[in-house]
Amino acid sequence: MKLLIVGLGSMGKRRARLIKGIDPAIQVFGVDSSAQRRTQAAELGITAYAGIAEALAAGQYDAGLVCTAPITHAGIIHELLQGGLPVFTELNLVSDGYAENMALAKQKGLPLFLSSTMLYRGETQYIKKRVQEFKAQGGKVNYIYHIGQYLPDWHPWENYKNFFVGDKRTGGVREIFGIDLPWLVDCFGEVTGVHAEKDKISQLEVDYPDSYFVTLRHADGTKGILAADVVSPKAVRNFECFGEGLHLFWEGNPKALYDFDHASGEKRPVNTYASFEHDSRYSDNIVENAYVDELTNFFAVLQGKQQPRWSFEKDRQVIDLIEKIEA
């Protein structure tokens, strides 16, 4: 298999490394307008080109991966589809080109795969399973969820104003919503009501609110309180789901998922991973396993063996929800 990764920044390099871990026989090529990144890619054994047209002229590929800033995705996805490539794209955050690219993918009969890594976390899948089992027995739940991280710590190797979180349309809080709302919708169902309070409480040089409190009402009556911010000095992901007979706790990493046992009055640890991999450059709530599982799903989709867990159709609904929250 030959794959073309467009964008050789931190995420593009991560995808390349994980792909090689899945199958060393896969040939990885790249595209980046930065000569420095192309040189770094060459040192990793990746042949890289300055543009997509140059890469497509140089060879044939089984798929393209879009790992650039979200605001650029629409045009790149279109160009890859026009070149006859199935597409895997990272989080988009904006719905630019969705209708056109979905239509083009359908016309050409090509898979259009959208990343939503939290759907592949063992912890979120356990929470979903427990919640669905509980609801099937007539139970009702609510949840409280706080996700926070200090924006300058996201990419410590570069200034936050120099990558996409500095742009209002793809800002840091919006990315948190884009990452976490899909699994919340997948777990608790369609959102039918929303109320948001937002403000700026830091000295960060961004032109968008840095702290949100959001109340979500799901179609089955479930209520959720979602707090999202880019000002928390310590990266946090604290989730609690509760109902009469169910109480789940998750602190964002594989070692901190708990199911409360009422009989003993204690929180019971839940292990959803036999082992897990963590990149030390990132917060401990980011594990590599989910990225690997997501890529494995994509490869199975290419082979016609599986369906993707997320889609552009579902994502457009979530982006509409984000727009309501920000309005």
Side-chain angles (χ1 to χ4, degrees), residues 248-268:
L248 304 172
F249 303 82
W250 182 38
E251 296 172 12
N253 68 73
K255 297 179 181 179
L257 175 65
Y258 304 94
D259 199 330
F260 182 74
D261 179 33
H262 192 263
S264 66
E266 296 180 352
K267 293 194 296 185
R268 178 176 58 85

Side-chain angles (χ1 to χ4, degrees), residues 39-52:
T39 299
Q40 292 171 346
E43 294 169 354
L44 298 173
I46 299 171
T47 300
Y49 304 92
I52 295 173

Side-chain angles (χ1 to χ4, degrees), residues 107-178:
Q107 174 193 329
K108 289 183 169 289
L110 295 170
L112 189 54
F113 188 104
L114 179 55
S115 168
S116 191
T117 312
M118 290 295 288
L119 288 171
Y120 296 82
R121 291 288 294 259
E123 305 97 314
T124 64
Q125 291 307 295
Y126 178 83
I127 292 167
K128 177 182 176 180
K129 176 176 178 290
R130 290 286 284 121
V131 166
Q132 290 186 340
E133 289 172 346
F134 186 66
K135 287 183 177 180
Q137 298 170 358
K140 297 181 179 180
V141 298
N142 290 323
Y143 63 88
I144 299 172
Y145 193 18
H146 174 211
I147 314 110
Q149 186 175 353
Y150 191 45
L151 194 63
D153 293 341
W154 283 31
H155 286 184
W157 55 87
E158 63 182 328
N159 191 299
Y160 64 86
K161 293 182 286 186
N162 295 337
F163 72 109
F164 67 84
V165 295
D167 187 318
K168 184 177 182 178
R169 289 195 71 204
T170 55
V173 180
R174 188 178 179 98
E175 185 180 27
I176 289 172
F177 290 141

Side-chain angles (χ1 to χ4, degrees), residues 47-65:
T47 300
Y49 304 92
I52 295 173
E54 181 185 353
L56 294 178
Q60 295 184 329
Y61 310 93
D62 295 288
L65 286 79

Side-chain angles (χ1 to χ4, degrees), residues 49-127:
Y49 304 92
I52 295 173
E54 181 185 353
L56 294 178
Q60 295 184 329
Y61 310 93
D62 295 288
L65 286 79
V66 181
C67 301
T68 58
I71 209 78
T72 67
H73 286 185
I76 294 170
I77 292 168
H78 187 85
E79 189 172 357
L80 292 173
L81 289 172
Q82 287 284 29
L85 272 64
V87 172
F88 174 109
T89 176
E90 303 292 354
L91 192 69
N92 290 320
L93 297 182
V94 292
S95 59
D96 298 356
Y98 266 42
E100 296 82 356
N101 285 331
M102 285 190 292
L104 181 59
K106 183 177 181 180
Q107 174 193 329
K108 289 183 169 289
L110 295 170
L112 189 54
F113 188 104
L114 179 55
S115 168
S116 191
T117 312
M118 290 295 288
L119 288 171
Y120 296 82
R121 291 288 294 259
E123 305 97 314
T124 64
Q125 291 307 295
Y126 178 83
I127 292 167

Side-chain angles (χ1 to χ4, degrees), residues 232-294:
S232 295
K234 183 186 184 303
V236 294
R237 185 183 293 281
N238 291 325
F239 176 85
E240 185 175 349
C241 178
F242 51 91
E244 188 181 17
L246 178 71
H247 207 160
L248 304 172
F249 303 82
W250 182 38
E251 296 172 12
N253 68 73
K255 297 179 181 179
L257 175 65
Y258 304 94
D259 199 330
F260 182 74
D261 179 33
H262 192 263
S264 66
E266 296 180 352
K267 293 194 296 185
R268 178 176 58 85
V270 179
N271 181 15
T272 60
Y273 295 94
S275 63
F276 63 91
E277 181 183 352
H278 168 65
D279 187 330
S280 61
R281 296 177 303 163
Y282 298 93
S283 164
D284 67 356
N285 60 33
I286 298 176
V287 295
E288 303 292 86
N289 302 57
Y291 293 99
V292 171
D293 292 344
E294 187 172 47

